[in-house]
Amino acid sequence: MTREPKITFIGAGSTVFMKNIIGDVLQRPALSAATIALMDLNPERLAESEIVAGKLVRTLGVKAKVETYSNQLKALEGADFVVVAFQIGGYEPCTVTDFEVPKNYGLRQTIADTLGVGGIMRGLRTVPHLWKICEDMLAVCPEAILLQYVNPMAINTWAIAEKYPTIRQVGLCHSVQGTAFELARDLEIPLEEIRYRAAGINHMAFYLKFEHRQKDGSYRDLYPDLIRGYREGRFPKPSHWNPRCPNKVRYEMLTRLGYFVTESSEHFAEYTPYFIKDGRPDLIEKFGIPLDEYPKRCIEQIERWKGQAAAFKEAETIEVAESHEYASSIMNSVWTGEPSVIYGNLRNNGCITSLPENCAAEVPCLVDASGIQPTYVGALPPQLTALIRTNINVQELTVQALVTENRDHLYHAAMMDPHTAAELDLDQIWSLVDDLLVAHRDWIPEWARVSKKVQAA
């Protein structure tokens, strides 16, 4: 291509995340002269991001241009790639609400950003804003690729495909490559010697193959080693990043299902009915389940990000290390035609034949000048399909609520959630959803708003 790409960041006030993605992008020769358009509604955070992005450009000695916008439509004009990273309602008040209100019913959570009542409410807050981005993209950059880094990933991706099917989108997570690193660390095998193939839905994909390349070029199945190490008490090794979060839930499920799930144990514990139960502190102790983990993590991250952002502002130059995010790889492949493989979340469209056509599937994707092309997986093992469907039920009903503006489906979604249904009766579920809709009134669409007085009448 003769012109340089334009890359727009919506939610650019996420300074540290933005810095990682831009650092990756600017180290790619074909992208190093890109126009970087930063958009955020918070002027202070936007200004911080502009300073950091400018220092990245100077540190790397590239010709990229940095522009800032408070107007989303203008930021999107002529964009080739759109990176989205925001949290509607923030840690306070919305994340706090998603944890504290369910506690009144004895419903405890660990992360609450993907499934469960927390994930449902987060989807309700988030999807309308993603839809507005899609609407603006159709107006000013209809061929751009939307790289979406927002939870609840599966609900978001599904909802975009339902309402804006022509938008070229992919939901991006780092759980597949991140967990591969963790398992390689447990096994003490270099990651580059491991071959894997994973598929499922976001946060509930499984490694269908996890193998070690041998000196003769053949591959050896590593699952027997992982199961043996767990049963002998050698795995999981202590976490390299968060001592509150041991990996026991996933190893236990490996012994029951025969496959290892790609998202963390603290996430997986609340996607199933087996691990968090009122009156069962023995389970919490046995599997090291970190209740209320996400609020603790948010507080720590906010403080860490403040410190990092301040350090970036003061520094003359900024160290640029390659991250493990897929964004720059996708952009480079689309822009140059040089192929790459990523794990992405897109409309299933028959890639996983045992899951619904319209669900959001996470599968290996080929990326080249034609865009992001998901690969065919076929049917998953029946036990994995069955477990994944329990999560898809919640996602589908949440998306139906959003698309049809039918509030009843929010209650139905909560009814179908494995963890919620295992803990609460129907009256409690209805009442809890009402309480959350009242608490989130300022952050959700008008059709979803409810008051206790109206509901009781």
Side-chain angles (χ1 to χ4, degrees):
M1 294 188 179
T2 55
R3 67 180 181 86
E4 302 299 340
K6 178 178 179 180
I7 304 166
T8 297
F9 287 77
I10 306 295
S14 304
T15 302
V16 176
F17 178 79
M18 177 276 307
K19 175 257 179 188
N20 290 339
I21 299 294
I22 292 180
D24 289 346
V25 165
L26 298 184
Q27 292 180 84
R28 304 261 184 183
L31 307 175
S32 63
T35 295
I36 308 294
L38 307 177
M39 183 271 160
D40 200 281
L41 294 176
N42 185 312
E44 182 180 347
R45 291 192 312 207
L46 184 59
E48 288 178 351
S49 292
E50 181 183 20
I51 292 170
V52 171
K55 288 182 179 180
L56 285 171
V57 171
R58 291 192 294 275
T59 298
L60 292 168
V62 294
K63 297 180 179 178
K65 295 188 301 181
V66 178
E67 302 172 349
T68 60
Y69 298 86
S70 58
N71 182 289
Q72 180 171 285
L73 190 66
K74 292 205 173 289
L76 289 169
E77 282 182 3
D80 298 290
F81 304 98
V82 179
V83 181
V84 182
F86 52 55
Q87 184 178 344
I88 302 301
Y91 164 64
E92 291 182 313
C94 288
T95 294
V96 172
T97 297
D98 284 340
F99 276 84
E100 293 305 314
V101 172
K103 276 186 190 177
N104 296 333
Y105 292 81
L107 182 65
R108 303 298 300 276
Q109 300 169 101
T110 51
I111 305 294
D113 70 351
T114 296
L115 209 72
V117 289
I120 293 165
M121 291 299 138
R122 192 159 173 151
L124 186 61
R125 298 193 301 269
T126 303
V127 166
H129 292 269
L130 291 171
W131 279 346
K132 181 62 172 102
I133 292 171
C134 293
E135 181 183 327
D136 288 349
M137 287 176 65
L138 289 178
V140 298
C141 58
E143 295 301 314
I145 294 179
L146 176 64
L147 288 73
Q148 191 246 124
Y149 278 97
V150 185
N151 279 323
M153 179 70 65
I155 288 172
N156 295 343
T157 305
W158 192 334
I160 290 171
E162 286 290 314
K163 190 161 184 175
Y164 294 96
T166 64
I167 289 290
R168 302 169 74 194
Q169 63 142 338
V170 62
L172 296 173
C173 185
H174 44 247
S175 60
V176 173
Q177 62 269 42
T179 293
F181 170 82
E182 291 182 57
L183 293 180
R185 179 176 171 269
D186 280 357
L187 291 160
E188 298 183 359
I189 295 174
L191 182 58
E192 59 270 19
E193 295 179 8
I194 290 176
R195 176 177 75 172
Y196 58 81
R197 182 170 173 81
I201 61 174
N202 184 239
H203 287 192
M204 199 179 271
F206 292 84
Y207 294 106
L208 305 178
K209 290 184 177 180
F210 202 80
E211 302 170 323
H212 183 204
R213 186 176 68 250
Q214 305 298 290
K215 290 182 179 179
D216 63 1
S218 64
Y219 284 86
R220 182 174 67 85
D221 181 13
L222 287 170
Y223 271 141
D225 292 8
L226 290 170
I227 292 171
R228 187 182 311 111
Y230 177 61
R231 287 179 170 157
E232 292 175 357
R234 294 181 289 110
F235 303 159
K237 292 181 179 177
S239 172
H240 68 287
W241 72 281
N242 188 342
R244 291 192 302 265
C245 298
N247 216 1
K248 294 180 181 178
V249 166
R250 290 195 287 178
Y251 270 100
E252 182 68 21
M253 291 302 291
L254 167 63
T255 68
R256 310 289 178 153
L257 297 173
Y259 297 88
F260 204 90
V261 72
T262 58
E263 188 46 78
S264 67
S265 287
E266 59 268 25
H267 275 276
F268 194 79
E270 65 181 8
Y271 301 160
T272 62
Y274 315 121
F275 298 99
I276 307 173
K277 291 181 176 293
D278 187 33
R280 292 295 307 275
D282 58 307
L283 292 175
I284 304 301
E285 177 68 23
K286 178 179 179 180
F287 294 107
I289 297 168
L291 297 174
D292 299 327
E293 168 62 20
Y294 191 58
K296 295 174 185 147
R297 197 176 294 179
C298 284
I299 293 169
E300 292 167 355
Q301 286 177 341
I302 290 167
E303 288 306 307
R304 187 164 61 249
W305 290 342
K306 283 180 182 176
Q308 287 178 316
F312 292 153
K313 284 172 66 178
E314 294 298 321
E316 288 297 320
T317 60
I318 296 177
E319 181 182 348
V320 184
E322 185 179 352
S323 80
H324 56 266
E325 305 292 353
Y326 288 129
S328 71
S329 176
I330 293 170
M331 295 177 198
N332 184 69
S333 291
V334 171
W335 201 251
T336 67
E338 178 186 340
S340 64
V341 175
I342 60 110
Y343 277 84
N345 293 269
L346 310 94
R347 192 179 193 273
N348 185 22
N349 287 341
C351 289
I352 301 177
T353 54
S354 55
L355 298 182
E357 282 275 315
N358 60 341
C359 79
E362 188 167 72
V363 296
C365 301
L366 170 68
V367 191
D368 59 19
S370 297
I372 300 164
Q373 301 152 75
T375 61
Y376 176 81
V377 173
L380 299 177
Q383 70 274 26
L384 304 187
T385 295
L387 190 60
I388 290 169
R389 280 177 179 161
T390 67
N391 282 216
I392 286 177
N393 290 336
V394 181
Q395 296 161 4
E396 182 171 28
L397 285 161
T398 305
V399 171
Q400 279 298 302
L402 285 154
V403 170
T404 64
E405 299 187 356
N406 182 345
R407 192 172 64 219
D408 287 348
H409 289 322
L410 298 173
Y411 303 98
H412 300 152
M415 278 177 64
M416 300 301 163
D417 178 65
H419 176 43
T420 305
E423 293 289 278
L424 306 183
D425 65 33
L426 290 172
D427 286 341
Q428 289 175 312
I429 291 171
W430 247 253
S431 181
L432 170 56
V433 171
D434 281 342
D435 286 351
L436 286 166
L437 293 177
V438 170
H440 287 308
R441 182 178 179 82
D442 294 338
W443 301 95
I444 60 177
E446 188 172 351
W447 61 264
R449 295 173 188 168
V450 64
S451 71
K452 283 291 189 181
K453 185 175 181 180
V454 172
Q455 185 74 2

